[in-house]
Amino acid sequence: FSQLRTAIARGVSLGGAGGVCHDNILGSWPLIQQFGRSVQGRKLLSDAFRLCAPLDTERDVEDLIVWLQDPWFYLAEGNFPYPSSYISSAVGAGNYELPAWPLQTACGKGLDMDWGIGIQGSKSDVRFVVSVDVNAGKGDGNDNDDESWDLDVDWDTVTPVLDTQAGGKWNDGSHSPTGSQEGLEELESTVVQLFESLRDAVGIWYNITNELQCYDIRTEDITTTTTLTNTKLQSSATRKDVKR
């Protein structure tokens, strides 16, 4: 995780991308994990990431997170100021060129926008709180702490920050958000747009051919569908147990 964070931070700082993109990426992982704890949340994730098969279990959600994290190392290694197939031809989909500054291109898919993601704590120690402020970026002056959903991150452990007060909170029993209907709709709208931006960003790597209509993140029987062509080639370089 630390190496991933460093690679992203180093890469997005080159060519003009800033900290907003970095924090949106960093904040996505615990949000995906949290939403993946409920059936409704897994459906939201499956739709937002345009998956060929729905996420049925929390293990599927873990696989999704790994799948989403993998491309950033390669985009950082191939982050040249000109189009290049150097990385993609070695461990990717083949002799297809990544765009110039691929990390910045990925950020430009919407990860450079203010989705209300705040991170407080130590990023280097991977101990921080991720907050989603659904009123951020609206310019209406309605910065209400009750409309903020917080997650405490301690390495790979994600814990909802519970509050018995009204407003945007997490439900301890179902791991689902609770609060006003308006607040829930705004939260869902915000995270879906964030997740869609992340999907389009990793598409710089996984959909380099621009031919995929959906993504199949399965790591078994990967020869059964052509939608896994890009994933198969990339995953074989990083997972020893994946069958070709």
Side-chain angles (χ1 to χ4, degrees), residues 229-241:
T229 300
N230 293 357
T231 306
K232 172 185 175 183
L233 292 169
Q234 186 273 337
S235 296
S236 65
T238 56
R239 299 181 183 175
K240 301 295 185 180
D241 59 338

Side-chain angles (χ1 to χ4, degrees), residues 161-174:
V161 179
L162 303 177
D163 196 316
T164 57
Q165 302 299 315
K169 308 298 169 190
W170 298 103
N171 182 297
D172 190 30
S174 66

Side-chain angles (χ1 to χ4, degrees), residues 133-185:
D133 181 0
V134 298
N135 294 307
K138 293 184 178 180
D140 56 8
N142 186 22
D143 294 329
N144 187 343
D145 288 340
D146 284 343
E147 294 296 333
S148 174
W149 282 261
D150 302 336
L151 295 170
D152 184 78
V153 178
D154 188 349
W155 281 92
D156 58 352
T157 302
V158 176
T159 307
V161 179
L162 303 177
D163 196 316
T164 57
Q165 302 299 315
K169 308 298 169 190
W170 298 103
N171 182 297
D172 190 30
S174 66
H175 297 292
S176 299
T178 185
S180 67
Q181 184 62 35
E182 181 181 1
L184 290 174
E185 291 175 355

Side-chain angles (χ1 to χ4, degrees), residues 19-129:
V20 172
C21 179
H22 174 266
D23 285 356
N24 279 336
I25 297 170
L26 188 62
S28 292
W29 317 134
L31 282 167
I32 292 170
Q33 184 173 335
Q34 178 65 21
F35 272 85
R37 288 169 169 164
S38 69
V39 173
Q40 180 181 357
R42 288 193 290 273
K43 183 181 186 306
L44 180 147
L45 293 172
S46 300
D47 293 343
F49 287 107
R50 201 176 294 157
L51 302 182
C52 299
L55 301 169
D56 293 325
T57 66
E58 291 187 40
R59 175 59 187 269
D60 291 341
V61 176
E62 293 175 6
D63 290 341
L64 171 65
I65 293 174
V66 172
W67 182 83
L68 290 166
Q69 290 178 341
D70 279 349
W72 297 98
F73 289 106
Y74 299 110
L75 293 179
E77 288 299 311
N79 202 38
F80 306 125
Y82 47 81
S84 171
S85 61
Y86 173 70
I87 296 296
S88 55
S89 62
V91 292
N95 193 28
Y96 298 95
E97 288 187 341
L98 290 172
W101 296 122
L103 273 177
Q104 286 68 39
T105 302
C107 286
K109 296 297 184 179
L111 291 175
D112 54 355
M113 297 181 63
D114 182 4
W115 298 118
I117 301 299
I119 298 179
Q120 299 293 328
S122 175
K123 298 175 186 177
S124 59
D125 292 336
V126 199
R127 290 183 173 87
F128 50 80
V129 173

